[in-house]
Amino acid sequence: MISRCEAEDGGEELHYNKNHCCHPDCHGKIDELFSDKIYLVGIAALVVAVVMIFEMILSMVLCCGIRNSPVY
């Protein structure tokens, strides 16, 4: 994989590396980003869980409504 990296002179360099990271501490920076913003990850997971619960409730109501309908 070829990665575009920022050069020291402000330009752009192309590198071939199998880790797809331009800087040697790329994984450390990603880990630092998630550990600093762990509450945002938790809030996003909570929002997804609540939406999925409402989705299941709505699908159950629709399923029961279709089953009790004389048209079908």
Side-chain angles (χ1 to χ4, degrees), residues 17-60:
N17 51 12
K18 61 183 180 180
N19 292 334
H20 309 294
C21 289
C22 299
H23 305 287
D25 194 28
C26 182
H27 296 289
K29 289 189 183 288
I30 291 172
D31 189 33
E32 180 183 321
L33 174 71
F34 279 112
S35 63
D36 287 347
K37 311 262 189 220
I38 192 71
Y39 62 93
L40 289 178
V41 174
I43 290 172
L46 189 63
V47 166
V48 168
V50 168
V51 167
M52 288 182 73
I53 289 171
F54 281 122
E55 181 180 314
M56 285 188 275
I57 291 170
L58 179 64
S59 65
M60 196 64 186

Side-chain angles (χ1 to χ4, degrees), residues 1-2 7 10-11 13 15 18 35 38 47 51 58 63 65 67 71:
M1 178 81 185
I2 296 176
E13 296 177 345
H15 295 279
K18 61 183 180 180
S35 63
I38 192 71
V47 166
V51 167
L58 179 64
C63 183
R67 183 179 52 173
V71 176

